[in-house]
Amino acid sequence: MDKEQLKIRIDNLVDELNHHNFNYYVLDKPLISDYDFDKLLEELIKLEKENPEFIREDSPTKRVGGEVIKSFKQVKHKYPMLSLGNTYSQEELIEFDNRIKKLIDSEFEYVCELKYDGVAIGLTYIDGVLTQAVTRGDGVQGDDVTANVRTIRSIPLKLKGNYPKEFEIRGEIILPHLGFEKLNNERVEIGDEPFANPRNAASGSLKMQDSNEVANRPLDCLLYFLLGDNLPYQSHYENLIAAKEWGFKIPNYMMKCKTIDDVFEFINMWDVARNDLPFDIDGIVIKVNSYQQWEQLGFTAKSPRWAIAYKFKAERVLTELLSVSFQVGRTGAITPVANLRPVQLAGTVVKRASLHNSDIIQKLDVRVGDMVYVEKGGEIIPKIIGVDISRRKNTSQQLNYITNCPECNAVLTRNEGEASHYCPNEDGCPPQIKGKLEHFISRKAMNIDSLGEGKISMLYDNNLVKDISDLYNLNYDSLIGLEKIIIDEKSEKKLSFKEKTVTNILNGINYSKSVSFERVLFAIGIRYVGETVAKKLALHYKNIDNLLNASFEELINVDEIGEKIAESIINFFTTDKNLLIIEKLKIAGLQFVLNEDNIPKQLSESLKGKNIVVSGNFGTPEERRRIEELVELHGGKKGSSVTGKTSLIVAGENMGPDKREKALKFKIPIITEEDFLEMISK
Ligand code: IVH
């Protein structure tokens, strides 16, 4: 192809792919298979790489992020970003309706829309191209988050049809429930605090500095308001319908209403139906439709007189607080949990609610035996929001927060400025010890897959394993016949270790003695030393003794080791108990020296820039590790979770449905082991 033909091909590919993205993300109706989509995308990536001068601003390849922004630029809104007056009562809506009738003499109609619960955004388009995305800020000026917003697939980078030369469209960036749950699961997995609700998650995502990260968050954007001098119609509803033609995601859930009774009907219908929506709404927005009437009605100091938000009351019930229990997490953090008399709330039976921390308990002054109000708002876990004092018994007693750990009795600590109490007894507190053991045996660490959470618990409860080094003292006699009683509501079952289980466990432990130094370093659980840092340390220091003797200054000079990590390493290796464990592990025969022969020689660069997830069953764990290793040896990066950045999935048998669903969503090709081997052999 000559240059001109190449340009035409690139243009055609961009248009075609954008059209498919629109069908998938905006209309929810994909027209081609993922495979075909990927083929086109691959071709575009290749052509763009070879002809960067033809890369278009609206190319789908520009959705994956790239820019890292230290602080967001402040931008003044061309039109102030006002909020709406709101009410929780239908009487006040009647007053709103009466006010409007008084101020305008002609006929009018309302447009009812859902009030999406997310983060407000203003998008500017010039000549059909997205030029700027700004948050509300203080209403006068907000943050320029354009780089992050470009990664949201349902926001068009370039418009179709007959759009005005310059205009702004406003809407709400939201995180649908499915994406929210997945994001939180991933956060919990890596030890990050989960977000309290989808709104916080959306807002946190939008403010991230690295747009690559934002590209992985399954954000969506629903639009509800147009501003500009040359809009096609003189009414709100008709302009929104037109904007839909230009490629925007304008939800179908809007309705024109002639009377306030019709408005009530819409409200009452959605007050119930909202439970089935895939995202959160917190009310209904009612707007007069005609722009000419907007002018007649004008504004108050804060908001337009032609619109109002009716907010749903969060669903709330009254029930008895039976007791409060305190849970200890793997990091030692204490969470108070309210045990409630079971009660029906927003479609589910609620038995427990979070009480968060001691400040909240104190503020609410909740007491065992109280009748408490439980609410389910945007949060997934219900919360107690108040007490019906009139029903309090005079025998009730103030709730005392625990001073000692409910698991190990250690005196709890609380750091300045932190809300939670912690159990400091890292090495003597059962949930914390079990957490460490579970990490040690996990797949990326020692990969002892014949042990799991349940078996670890059994070994610990039977006093066989107190720390990771004890695993290497287990033998046939200590394990055979070990019993566990499983009690569920109906029956009591006894499980006991049979010969096969015991042999598997011992084999797994034995096999782990050949696990490489860098993974042992990751497995021993030094805070902040993850897989990558462990690798860096192993390569740099070559053996545990060198690392053990490294000073703080030396450590921070190692690539990717900052002060926080260095401090944690020093702390770990100056604790006698840890040194003793290392000694015992050395005696057991674990690898504490880097095996230079094991450092694989790079085979090719053919997978450079590709993030590859290996998932499912490949016969043996070793085979799966071999594939992962091949990914790295050919210059690729292996990932554990499927995200928007994943380029490819190599799937064995029984790949998890979660991963499959994500692959579908992000249109990631899934290939077999054979395909993969063939791919790298070229
Ligand atoms: S119209 C001038 N419509 O709720 C009025 N807002 O306090 C422009 N919101 O700032 C807003 N869904 O962040 C409008 N269908 C909808 C909405 C909506 C959610 C948010 C938006 C707004 C706030 C109102």
Side-chain angles (χ1 to χ4, degrees):
M1 271 193 270
D2 64 22
K3 277 279 169 192
E4 197 169 321
Q5 284 170 320
L6 279 168
K7 184 176 182 319
I8 293 173
R9 182 64 189 150
I10 290 181
D11 278 347
N12 285 344
L13 281 168
V14 169
D15 289 339
E16 194 176 344
L17 285 161
N18 278 346
H19 178 65
H20 289 307
N21 258 339
F22 172 77
N23 285 315
Y24 188 90
Y25 289 104
V26 179
L27 302 182
D28 220 356
K29 287 195 188 102
L31 288 183
I32 59 167
S33 72
D34 294 354
Y35 179 81
D36 292 338
F37 183 92
D38 287 327
K39 281 273 158 262
L40 295 173
L41 189 61
E42 259 170 43
E43 185 187 345
L44 178 64
I45 291 171
K46 183 170 169 282
L47 291 180
E48 283 186 345
K49 208 169 156 195
E50 292 161 359
N51 306 279
E53 69 274 30
F54 298 142
I55 300 181
R56 264 171 46 177
E57 267 308 292
D58 63 331
S59 167
T61 59
K62 290 209 147 202
R63 297 262 194 199
V64 293
E67 255 183 272
V68 177
I69 289 160
K70 281 255 168 328
S71 65
F72 297 107
K73 194 171 78 184
Q74 289 286 304
V75 177
K76 196 166 181 302
H77 292 294
K78 183 164 178 194
Y79 311 92
M81 215 156 167
L82 298 175
S83 70
L84 296 174
N86 64 49
T87 174
Y88 287 90
S89 92
Q90 301 210 348
E91 289 75 49
E92 283 183 19
L93 276 190
I94 295 178
E95 284 169 24
F96 166 80
D97 182 50
N98 286 338
R99 263 199 312 273
I100 290 182
K101 282 181 186 148
K102 227 189 249 166
L103 289 167
I104 41 183
D105 34 27
S106 49
E107 287 221 335
F108 67 93
E109 55 188 4
Y110 290 120
V111 180
C112 289
E113 294 161 24
L114 305 187
K115 188 169 182 316
Y116 317 109
D117 198 6
V119 188
I121 194 80
L123 310 172
T124 303
Y125 285 80
I126 301 176
D127 292 324
V129 174
L130 172 67
T131 55
Q132 198 169 55
V134 184
T135 62
R136 177 206 300 283
D138 60 6
V140 178
Q141 57 177 24
D143 288 334
D144 180 339
V145 289
T146 315
N148 287 349
V149 161
R150 291 180 69 90
T151 67
I152 302 174
R153 306 297 201 277
S154 57
I155 294 183
L157 300 178
K158 191 166 189 307
L159 305 179
K160 309 181 283 183
N162 207 0
Y163 44 80
K165 187 167 172 47
E166 182 172 345
F167 68 95
E168 185 177 336
I169 187 161
R170 289 185 181 164
E172 206 81 354
I173 292 183
I174 59 154
L175 190 60
H177 296 145
L178 208 63
F180 172 67
E181 272 165 40
K182 282 194 185 146
L183 176 63
N184 265 356
N185 287 342
E186 283 167 14
R187 285 174 75 82
V188 170
E189 234 172 68
I190 57 166
D192 280 352
E193 273 290 302
F195 286 111
N197 55 48
R199 185 186 350 99
N200 288 3
S203 145
S205 304
L206 205 59
K207 299 271 168 66
M208 287 197 300
Q209 292 174 339
D210 184 352
S211 58
N212 282 303
E213 291 288 319
V214 188
N216 288 334
R217 304 267 169 111
L219 296 169
D220 203 346
C221 183
L222 307 175
L223 295 143
Y224 49 63
F225 192 43
L226 276 148
L227 292 144
D229 297 332
N230 294 306
L231 300 178
Y233 297 97
Q234 279 310 303
S235 52
H236 171 70
Y237 186 88
E238 285 64 28
N239 276 332
L240 280 188
I241 297 295
K244 203 176 202 163
E245 299 294 316
W246 310 333
F248 291 108
K249 193 157 182 173
I250 312 280
N252 284 329
Y253 320 110
M254 14 176 225
M255 196 168 96
K256 279 194 191 178
C257 293
K258 285 250 175 281
T259 68
I260 198 74
D261 285 334
D262 295 345
V263 172
F264 287 143
E265 207 172 299
F266 185 88
I267 289 176
N268 295 336
M269 192 261 288
W270 279 108
D271 198 3
V272 179
R274 69 185 163 123
N275 289 320
D276 300 324
L277 279 171
F279 50 80
D280 281 348
I281 62 170
D282 59 344
I284 299 294
V285 177
I286 301 119
K287 299 170 187 168
V288 170
N289 194 24
S290 140
Y291 287 173
Q292 194 230 326
Q293 288 166 345
W294 285 16
E295 274 187 26
Q296 284 177 32
L297 291 162
F299 292 84
T300 69
K302 283 188 296 192
S303 47
R305 283 202 191 87
W306 39 261
I308 193 165
Y310 174 85
K311 300 244 261 183
F312 294 129
K313 293 185 197 81
E315 289 194 54
R316 179 185 295 188
V317 282
L318 201 59
T319 188
E320 189 186 352
L321 175 63
L322 300 175
S323 64
V324 174
S325 37
F326 295 86
Q327 289 178 346
V328 189
R330 282 185 188 168
T331 56
I334 309 288
T335 314
V337 177
N339 300 306
L340 305 166
R341 185 171 298 289
V343 64
Q344 192 80 27
L345 175 63
T348 52
V349 176
V350 174
K351 295 183 189 143
R352 285 143 71 83
S354 172
L355 279 165
H356 302 283
N357 55 49
S358 67
D359 288 347
I360 292 196
I361 294 186
Q362 218 173 13
K363 209 165 117 200
L364 290 169
D365 182 27
V366 295
R367 304 178 182 192
V368 171
D370 273 348
M371 291 303 285
V372 293
Y373 291 103
V374 184
E375 203 175 273
K376 214 174 194 181
E379 291 78 11
I380 301 292
I381 306 164
K383 60 180 180 189
I384 294 184
I385 47 127
V387 177
D388 182 353
I389 301 280
S390 69
R391 294 172 68 176
R392 176 171 281 172
K393 303 182 189 90
N394 31 15
T395 50
S396 88
Q397 292 197 349
Q398 224 174 22
L399 195 79
N400 288 326
Y401 205 80
I402 47 168
T403 51
N404 294 61
C405 174
E407 299 273 351
C408 72
N409 210 33
V411 176
L412 300 180
T413 58
R414 188 180 189 187
N415 290 341
E416 275 267 336
E418 276 186 21
S420 293
H421 284 72
Y422 279 85
C423 166
N425 186 14
E426 236 187 287
D427 303 310
C429 181
Q432 296 186 64
I433 301 175
K434 288 185 201 171
K436 278 201 184 122
L437 288 162
E438 282 158 19
H439 167 74
F440 184 76
I441 61 158
S442 64
R443 193 169 65 79
K444 289 179 180 168
M446 305 305 276
N447 193 25
I448 310 179
D449 59 1
S450 47
L451 285 174
E453 208 175 307
K455 292 194 181 103
I456 286 289
S457 226
M458 258 171 105
L459 299 177
Y460 178 81
D461 295 343
N462 282 286
N463 261 330
L464 289 169
V465 175
K466 287 275 171 234
D467 65 54
I468 52 178
S469 68
D470 294 334
L471 287 170
Y472 296 89
N473 291 332
L474 294 172
N475 56 37
Y476 189 88
D477 291 340
S478 60
L479 293 176
I480 194 79
L482 209 62
E483 282 180 351
K484 181 185 185 174
I485 297 170
I486 302 173
I487 307 170
D488 65 22
E489 276 154 24
K490 289 185 208 104
S491 64
E492 210 179 278
K493 259 194 276 175
K494 222 186 235 177
L495 263 190
S496 73
F497 279 2
K498 306 243 163 40
E499 197 178 330
K500 193 161 174 245
T501 315
V502 174
T503 321
N504 279 344
I505 294 177
L506 292 174
N507 281 346
I509 292 175
N510 212 17
Y511 186 79
S512 75
K513 291 179 188 168
S514 59
V515 164
S516 58
F517 173 45
E518 61 274 20
R519 281 182 38 201
V520 175
L521 207 48
F522 168 59
I524 57 178
I526 308 172
R527 205 173 236 193
Y528 309 125
V529 176
E531 235 188 327
T532 323
V533 171
K535 249 188 205 164
K536 294 259 173 223
L537 289 171
L539 280 175
H540 188 90
Y541 286 102
K542 315 278 192 232
N543 64 47
I544 192 89
D545 294 324
N546 289 343
L547 175 62
L548 225 135
N549 294 321
S551 68
F552 181 82
E553 284 69 32
E554 279 164 20
L555 282 165
I556 52 173
N557 277 326
V558 179
D559 181 29
E560 279 193 37
I561 312 292
E563 292 187 5
K564 195 166 90 172
I565 303 178
E567 198 176 315
S568 161
I569 297 171
I570 299 277
N571 261 340
F572 187 90
F573 289 121
T574 45
T575 307
D576 286 346
K577 191 162 190 309
N578 293 333
L579 293 174
L580 188 66
I581 292 176
I582 303 275
E583 239 2 86
K584 288 190 194 168
L585 292 177
K586 272 186 183 170
I587 294 168
L590 267 63
Q591 305 297 315
F592 280 107
V593 178
L594 182 72
N595 183 346
E596 307 264 0
D597 295 341
N598 262 358
I599 305 172
K601 305 269 169 304
Q602 213 54 33
L603 295 174
S604 83
E605 293 272 84
S606 64
L607 300 178
K608 198 167 174 190
K610 287 206 156 62
N611 287 304
I612 299 182
V613 172
V614 182
S615 175
N617 198 331
F618 294 87
T620 61
E622 295 83 68
E623 184 55 18
R624 179 197 171 117
R625 269 206 299 275
R626 191 175 80 91
I627 303 172
E628 285 180 341
E629 203 171 78
L630 282 170
V631 168
E632 289 185 331
L633 291 180
H634 286 274
K637 233 175 120 183
K638 69 172 208 277
S640 52
S641 56
V642 178
T643 68
K645 274 197 282 182
T646 307
S647 340
L648 190 70
I649 299 172
V650 185
E653 269 172 43
N654 298 331
M655 171 172 135
D658 252 24
K659 287 208 169 83
R660 239 173 231 292
E661 202 178 303
K662 267 199 184 168
L664 196 72
K665 177 162 181 351
F666 294 121
K667 300 184 184 305
I668 301 163
I670 303 177
I671 64 169
T672 63
E673 182 178 358
E674 289 74 43
D675 294 340
F676 174 72
L677 295 175
E678 198 191 315
M679 189 169 141
I680 55 173
S681 70
K682 277 184 195 151

